[in-house]
Amino acid sequence: MTLTIFITGATAGFGKATAERLIGDGHRVIATGRRRDRLDSLAAQLGPRLLPVTLDVTDAEAVASLPGSLPEDWREIDVLVANAGLALGLGPAWQNKLEDWNRMVATNVGGVLGPVRALLPGMVERDRGHVVTIGSVAGSYPYPGGNVYGGTKAFVAQFMLNLKADLIGTGVRVTNIEPGMVGGSEFSNVRFGDDDKAAAVYRNADPLMPEDIAETIAWVIGLPGRVNINRIEMMPRTQASAPLAIKRRED
């Protein structure tokens, strides 16, 4: 069955890899993002089964106009992959910039809520669909400097569980994918604003790659309709949750 899949943040990383994988599986993809040149390049690469749409997920008016603003034969969305997100900074809470916190909330929380609210009514009306979000292990395991980023991902995890409760009895499924360390994307470059620091995060760590996230999404949406995967936590074999921290006083 060919699905019509709407992906946010498709210009790089997880979103781009997922678009490539799902087009390869024979589906149609609406690839959205802020960088039009990258969307056009992706469309040239993947052909007519990819529809590039310039969209900033923090633009509430533009998001609310979905799917009515799409071409008519692309309006019945089977799967939403709410992928757009970012982390900014890794300092302690009292040193971080409030504007960075607000941007993370707008993108990681608002960028999920807006597309879900815009596309979910059509899924419920058609009695079929799947909402997939990209959470993070940071939503479950705190770490120094993770403060607001981890908080936004914890929100996504809880929101999706509550969304599942709302959708009982419908044909709409919901899944939160929660990766640990993933290389091969712009995540750390954006977080640090420094390519050398970003590269150091993954050096000799054998992290997950965007293709691993795309593979997981392809598996989840391809399961029989009776199966709902509530959440998937995934890490590279080289990573684990940290032990509890203890700071001892000096005698």
Side-chain angles (χ1 to χ4, degrees), residues 125-136:
E125 182 179 355
R126 293 187 294 274
D127 199 33
R128 71 176 191 276
H130 200 151
V131 176
V132 179
T133 50
I134 303 299
S136 170

Side-chain angles (χ1 to χ4, degrees), residues 106-242:
T107 306
N108 300 351
V109 175
V112 169
L113 297 183
V116 168
R117 185 61 186 84
L119 300 178
L120 188 60
M123 293 183 182
V124 173
E125 182 179 355
R126 293 187 294 274
D127 199 33
R128 71 176 191 276
H130 200 151
V131 176
V132 179
T133 50
I134 303 299
S136 170
V137 297
S140 299
Y141 308 114
Y143 59 87
N147 42 71
V148 169
Y149 175 71
T152 62
K153 294 303 185 177
F155 173 89
V156 171
Q158 189 62 32
F159 170 67
M160 291 295 280
L161 291 175
N162 281 276
L163 191 60
K164 175 69 171 66
D166 284 347
L167 289 166
I168 288 176
T170 76
V172 182
R173 302 184 289 176
V174 298
T175 303
N176 189 39
I177 310 290
E178 303 171 12
M181 176 184 284
V182 186
S185 76
E186 300 174 339
F187 179 83
S188 289
N189 304 75
V190 172
R191 183 170 219 170
F192 297 115
D194 184 311
D195 290 346
D196 290 336
K197 285 185 178 179
V201 172
Y202 308 105
R203 189 170 294 125
N204 299 325
D206 197 16
L208 300 175
M209 297 300 286
E211 292 76 17
D212 301 321
I213 311 306
E215 170 75 20
T216 304
I217 292 171
W219 174 71
V220 164
I221 68 174
L223 290 169
R226 64 182 178 274
V227 180
N228 191 98
I229 304 298
N230 296 344
R231 57 191 293 265
I232 294 179
E233 179 183 294
M234 53 192 297
M235 293 181 179
R237 58 180 173 72
T238 56
Q239 185 183 29
S241 56

Side-chain angles (χ1 to χ4, degrees), residues 2 10 14 19-20 32 45 52 72 74 80 90 96 99 101 123 132 149 152 162 175 184 190 221 226-227 243-244 247:
T2 298
F14 302 175
E20 292 170 340
T32 75
Q45 171 192 341
E72 189 169 353
W74 287 85
L80 165 63
L90 196 60
N96 284 356
E99 56 264 37
W101 283 3
M123 293 183 182
V132 179
Y149 175 71
T152 62
N162 281 276
T175 303
V190 172
I221 68 174
R226 64 182 178 274
V227 180
L244 294 175
K247 178 65 175 178

